[in-house]
Amino acid sequence: MEAIHIFVKTSLPKYLRSLNVPKTFGGFSKLSGEDWVNLVPLVLCTAVFVMAIFRIFLGGSRKKNALPKVNQSIMKEDPKVVTQMDIEDIGEKIAFCRCWRSKKFPLCDGTHNKHNAEANDNVGPLLLRRAEGEK
Ligand code: FES
């Protein structure tokens, strides 16, 4: 703890007083090589601080695998949701769910309307229908 005390109370103020910081941006062009070398720790610490702030406030939502899952509840025990139907069983028309929220999945039950209203989204079903005259 004493090392931190000495750093904060003695070393850091001494270092900051020793810096030749110009009063204008134009003054940076008049700094010597030694002045620039002395500024390196301050610039690096400032950059790390700014990056940490950005990471905390902006980067937190970009964590790896942090994307929301599309499938919230359907057949979660299975490694992959695959549904097979015979074409003959489809009838005249059928609506397949593409929002993954239907209680009758893979068929659409209209739940996408609630999701769209809540999330300001625009998902909807895949509608299949037989062409006229087709069996
Ligand atoms: S309920 Fe999912 S698309 Fe209609």
Side-chain angles (χ1 to χ4, degrees):
M1 196 65 195
E2 186 173 335
I4 294 173
H5 176 82
I6 290 171
F7 175 76
V8 170
K9 292 292 191 179
T10 307
S11 301
L12 185 59
K14 188 175 173 184
Y15 164 71
L16 291 174
R17 275 193 303 273
S18 73
L19 293 178
N20 185 8
V21 179
K23 291 181 180 171
T24 63
F25 282 109
F28 280 103
S29 64
K30 296 173 185 152
L31 293 179
S32 69
E34 185 181 347
D35 291 336
W36 280 105
V37 170
N38 288 337
L39 282 172
V40 167
L42 178 66
V43 170
L44 288 178
C45 289
T46 304
V48 168
F49 178 76
V50 169
M51 286 171 54
I53 294 297
F54 271 100
R55 191 173 183 131
I56 289 168
F57 291 107
L58 299 176
S61 62
R62 284 191 261 135
K63 288 180 187 167
K64 231 179 184 179
N65 298 326
L67 291 174
K69 292 182 186 275
V70 171
N71 181 5
Q72 301 289 317
S73 61
I74 298 165
M75 299 167 62
K76 295 302 283 183
E77 65 281 359
D78 294 351
K80 186 190 302 183
V81 178
V82 177
T83 307
Q84 183 174 334
M85 295 179 77
D86 290 332
I87 291 175
E88 293 78 26
D89 296 337
I90 289 178
E92 288 300 311
K93 63 181 178 180
I94 193 166
F96 288 102
C97 175
R98 293 191 300 179
C99 73
W100 289 83
R101 286 164 173 79
S102 173
K103 300 283 186 278
K104 296 196 276 181
F105 194 88
L107 303 179
C108 172
D109 69 355
T111 305
H112 63 267
N113 293 313
K114 182 178 177 226
H115 163 76
N116 286 342
E118 291 174 355
N120 193 25
D121 209 345
N122 65 349
V123 295
L126 167 65
L127 297 171
L128 292 180
R129 63 182 165 87
R130 291 193 186 278
E132 285 185 30
E134 194 176 282
K135 290 185 191 179

